[in-house]
Amino acid sequence: MVEVKVSGLGFDKTTKTPVVLLKELEGDRVLPIWIGPAEADAIARALEGVKPERPLTHDLMKSVIAGLKAKVTKIVITELKENTFYAKIHLESQNTNEKSKTLTNIDARPSDSIALALRVEVPILVAEEIFLSGGTSMEIDEETKAEALKKYLENLKPEDFGKYK
């Protein structure tokens, strides 16, 4: 598994779709994932530390999980199949009247998982196979400027990396 951070949000002008960029912590690879506008907004709000007056969906998820005496331990982007990314939210809960813990993995969209991870401040992991599969990562060195990244993203086709459904 490769730990990543959200390095930014972009917009694919060709498909008119937001893109979240995940950069590995111990390297220079970046994984772009096409997402929906609502999820892009939720991720942007979390990155900017904006607290809504009323809870939005991912804030509600955070509250429900806490209300059930559970906690998110990490999120993992597990695979890329037929141009679609898959993720799991890892939860841990304390068993009532016992000292043992229950671990649960919940299937989720990567965009929702990322929005939740930013709110509960847990690691975001990506399966190494996703970075190794063709067309799912790009190298960015220190000399790469924002304009070069913008041009690169403008030329990408959604089917190269997976698409939001």
Side-chain angles (χ1 to χ4, degrees), residues 93-112:
S93 59
Q94 187 75 35
N95 292 333
T96 310
N97 299 326
E98 296 179 31
K99 293 187 179 185
S100 64
K101 295 181 180 179
T102 300
L103 304 176
T104 306
N105 299 329
I106 299 171
D107 289 325
R109 295 181 303 182
S111 54
D112 290 326

Side-chain angles (χ1 to χ4, degrees), residues 18-64:
V19 180
V20 63
L21 300 171
L22 302 177
K23 182 183 180 304
E24 65 182 337
L25 293 182
E26 301 292 326
D28 294 324
R29 295 180 296 179
V30 174
L31 179 67
I33 299 177
W34 276 253
I35 61 175
E39 292 77 14
D41 180 63
I43 291 169
R45 287 175 182 263
L47 289 171
E48 295 169 2
V50 174
K51 303 282 185 203
E53 289 182 33
R54 306 255 339 195
L56 299 175
T57 303
H58 302 96
D59 304 301
L60 176 63
M61 288 172 58
K62 175 183 173 183
S63 296
V64 168

Side-chain angles (χ1 to χ4, degrees), residues 137-164:
S137 66
M138 59 186 167
E139 298 288 334
I140 296 181
D141 61 29
E142 292 181 26
E143 296 177 21
T144 302
K145 302 291 182 201
E147 191 59 37
L149 178 58
K150 180 180 170 186
K151 284 182 182 179
Y152 181 84
L153 288 171
E154 287 174 355
N155 293 322
L156 290 176
K157 297 179 207 116
E159 60 270 12
D160 291 338
F161 296 99
K163 46 189 163 176
Y164 171 78

Side-chain angles (χ1 to χ4, degrees), residues 1-5 21-25 29-33 74-80 85-87 110 114 123-133 136-137:
M1 292 292 159
V2 178
E3 188 169 357
V4 298
K5 67 175 184 174
L21 300 171
L22 302 177
K23 182 183 180 304
E24 65 182 337
L25 293 182
R29 295 180 296 179
V30 174
L31 179 67
I33 299 177
K74 64 185 172 187
I75 71 110
V76 180
I77 299 172
T78 57
E79 59 187 323
L80 172 62
F85 289 94
Y86 293 82
I114 292 165
I124 301 169
L125 304 170
V126 176
E128 179 67 33
E129 299 79 40
I130 294 173
F131 274 110
L132 295 176
S133 62
T136 61
S137 66

